[in-house]
Amino acid sequence: MRVRKLLGDTERVTFGEFVVLEFVRQGRLDCDSLEVLRHAFDDVVGDGNDTIDRQEVARFHKVSACRQRYATHLRRSKHLPPDYALEAALELDVEYLVLKAVRNGWLAGPSPP
């Protein structure tokens, strides 16, 4: 029942929903992870239309990679426990995270006009 709430409320099942259901059934994906993914998707969507375009997906992946890299940086340079470092990276505003990534050389700075 918990999985059903996360997928949607129509009687039809999309291929993506079918894959999710099968992964849960096979034990490859647990409900807690699925809920985290659903919240991440909802954060990316923002406009309530329940779809995202490829640019939004690419941006989400880049931001996630920066957060992971920053968490690794915090673990190594500040000797923080992994969970705490990741939580700190997740709390950062995206613009501040990008500024940190540019400053540390993980991303190229903006091109001059």
Side-chain angles (χ1 to χ4, degrees):
M1 185 58 141
R2 190 170 164 202
V3 174
R4 180 79 176 124
K5 287 171 141 178
L6 292 170
L7 292 178
D9 54 3
T10 65
E11 291 300 315
R12 310 275 308 156
V13 175
T14 66
F15 175 69
E17 290 170 333
F18 176 77
V19 169
V20 167
L21 290 169
E22 282 300 296
F23 278 4
V24 169
R25 184 185 66 77
Q26 295 170 11
R28 294 181 178 188
L29 179 65
D30 60 76
C31 290
D32 291 335
S33 297
L34 181 58
E35 197 167 332
V36 168
L37 290 171
R38 183 65 201 193
H39 288 300
F41 181 83
D42 290 345
D43 288 346
V44 173
V45 171
D47 60 10
N49 70 2
D50 214 30
T51 62
I52 55 178
D53 62 36
R54 293 183 191 280
Q55 289 176 335
E56 290 170 315
V57 172
R59 182 176 187 273
F60 173 75
H61 286 166
K62 286 179 184 177
V63 168
S64 295
C66 280
R67 288 190 194 287
Q68 286 292 334
R69 189 144 189 197
Y70 189 65
T72 300
H73 168 74
L74 290 174
R75 278 195 347 258
R76 291 180 179 162
S77 67
K78 308 292 185 198
H79 308 291
L80 296 177
D83 291 346
Y84 186 79
L86 183 58
E87 191 65 35
L90 289 171
E91 293 296 320
L92 288 180
D93 178 74
V94 172
E95 286 76 19
Y96 186 71
L97 179 67
V98 169
L99 177 67
K100 287 285 211 180
V102 169
R103 190 176 299 149
N104 286 313
W106 307 327
L107 287 175
S111 303

